[in-house]
């Protein structure tokens, strides 16, 4: 274990005040938001802040009746919070690795557990995976994001991006699938034969099949969707 003087430790770990991008990776697992107006973030993800920032839980109808109904139907536990004001906001989610993506009139669909934050100018909508409702622990829902702006997603350990080509479908474990090209529409394959249990956990007989032209992001970890949430 490394030993530091207090001065050395502060020098090695303190925040970088010179950075001024809207989203910055302060460490691979801590996101700094240089807030000047507002940002949407996963509820419970705030670990620290300075400045004048106000936090509000997502209102029931703040994003419209349709989205509220879909959230209620999905049993989704990772609700959003809105941070408004000016200052430095630090976000994290269970020590997961953070990746910042910048959308340029593009679309990406993210597993609801793996969406950390996004700029207010990015449009979003919840997509329910109806075919597997009740088949997986906690169900499965995803968030489709599109437009212009930054999106921060999380993964356990290093993510891997697999390209999807026409005529060459990609099969993934739903619990290890982080995100995919927004225009891809995955189909679900189910097979309860013991001979085909090729996954690593409870969802091993359910697989997502991606066809078309795009990409899929997976992680080396099987994350079980849960209906509970951490409170902060």
């Amino acid at each position: 274990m490394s030993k530091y003087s207090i001065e050395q430790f502060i020098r090695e770990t303190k925040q970088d005040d010179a950075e001024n991008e809207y989203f910055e990776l302060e460490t691979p697992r801590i996101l700094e938001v240089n807030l000047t107006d507002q940002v949407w973030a996963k509820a419970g993800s705030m670990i620290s802040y300075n400045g004048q920032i106000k936090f509000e839980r997502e209102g029931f109808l703040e994003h419209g009746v349709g989205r509220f109904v879909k959230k209620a139907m999905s049993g989704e536990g990772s609700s959003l919070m809105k941070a408004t004001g000016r200052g430095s906001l630090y976000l994290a989610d269970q020590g997961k690795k953070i990746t910042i993506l910048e959308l340029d009139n593009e679309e990406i669909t993210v597993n609801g557990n793996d969406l950390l934050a996004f700029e207010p100018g990015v449009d979003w909508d919840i997509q329910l995976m109806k075919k597997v409702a009740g088949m997986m622990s906690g169900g499965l829902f995803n968030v489709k994001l599109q437009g212009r702006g930054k999106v921060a997603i999380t993964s356990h350990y290093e993510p891997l991006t697999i390209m999807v080509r026409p005529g060459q479908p990609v099969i993934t474990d739903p619990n290890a699938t982080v995100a995919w090209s927004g225009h891809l529409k995955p189909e679900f394959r189910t097979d309860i034969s013991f001979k085909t249990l090729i996954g690593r956990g409870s969802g091993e007989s359910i697989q997502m099949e991606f066809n078309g032209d795009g990409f899929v992001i997976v992680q080396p970890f099987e994350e079980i969707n849960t209906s509970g949430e951490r409170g902060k």
Side-chain angles (χ1 to χ4, degrees):
M1 179 177 178
S2 298
K3 295 181 180 180
Y4 298 90
S5 69
I6 293 296
E7 182 179 352
Q8 289 172 327
F9 182 76
I10 291 173
R11 186 168 58 247
E12 290 289 329
T13 62
K14 71 177 181 178
Q15 78 273 18
D16 187 347
D17 294 327
E19 296 178 337
N20 55 14
E21 290 287 330
Y22 192 80
F23 280 7
E24 295 277 0
L25 285 181
E26 197 64 25
T27 77
R29 292 168 175 78
I30 298 177
L31 176 71
E32 178 186 10
V33 181
N34 291 296
L35 194 61
T36 57
D37 44 24
Q38 72 175 47
V39 68
W40 286 101
K42 186 174 183 177
S45 63
M46 185 278 288
I47 60 171
S48 181
Y49 72 92
N50 59 55
Q52 300 298 317
I53 302 177
K54 178 182 179 182
F55 298 91
E56 299 175 273
R57 288 280 182 159
E58 176 189 11
F60 285 140
L61 301 179
E62 184 150 4
H63 290 105
V65 175
R67 290 177 186 171
F68 169 68
V69 170
K70 280 191 277 188
K71 282 173 67 69
M73 289 177 61
S74 68
E76 186 268 306
S78 298
S79 59
L80 297 173
M81 66 178 181
K82 179 170 63 176
T84 306
R86 299 183 66 88
S88 296
L89 170 62
Y90 298 94
L91 305 174
D93 186 14
Q94 303 181 67
K96 294 164 67 177
K97 181 179 174 62
I98 301 169
T99 301
I100 300 172
L101 305 174
E102 183 152 12
L103 302 185
D104 184 12
N105 285 326
E106 297 165 301
E107 298 180 2
I108 188 170
T109 301
V110 183
N111 185 302
N113 278 341
D114 302 319
L115 178 61
L116 180 62
F118 57 92
E119 292 189 71
V122 175
D123 190 30
W124 65 277
D125 195 13
I126 290 175
Q127 296 183 325
L128 300 179
M129 302 288 102
K130 297 179 181 179
K131 291 184 179 180
V132 293
M135 299 174 66
M136 298 176 61
S137 177
L140 184 66
F141 77 100
N142 303 289
V143 183
K144 184 176 182 179
L145 304 118
Q146 58 187 340
R148 290 180 178 271
K150 292 182 174 63
V151 176
I153 64 174
T154 60
S155 62
H156 288 276
Y157 312 106
E158 300 292 329
L160 172 68
T161 300
I162 302 174
M163 304 308 296
V164 181
R165 304 298 188 194
Q168 300 177 17
V170 171
I171 313 300
T172 67
D173 180 333
N175 289 326
T177 306
V178 174
W180 59 87
S181 307
H183 62 278
L184 293 180
K185 298 185 182 301
E187 293 293 330
F188 286 87
R189 297 169 45 170
T190 59
D191 190 339
I192 60 174
S193 168
F194 286 108
K195 295 180 180 179
T196 60
L197 297 185
I198 59 175
R200 299 189 302 110
S202 61
E204 54 206 358
S205 62
I206 304 173
Q207 298 133 28
M208 299 176 76
E209 179 177 322
F210 295 87
N211 289 277
D213 191 358
F215 63 86
V216 181
I217 302 172
V218 294
Q219 61 184 350
F221 186 92
E222 193 168 10
E223 184 170 32
I224 304 300
N225 293 283
T226 60
S227 57
E229 69 177 63
R230 295 182 299 129
K232 277 197 176 76

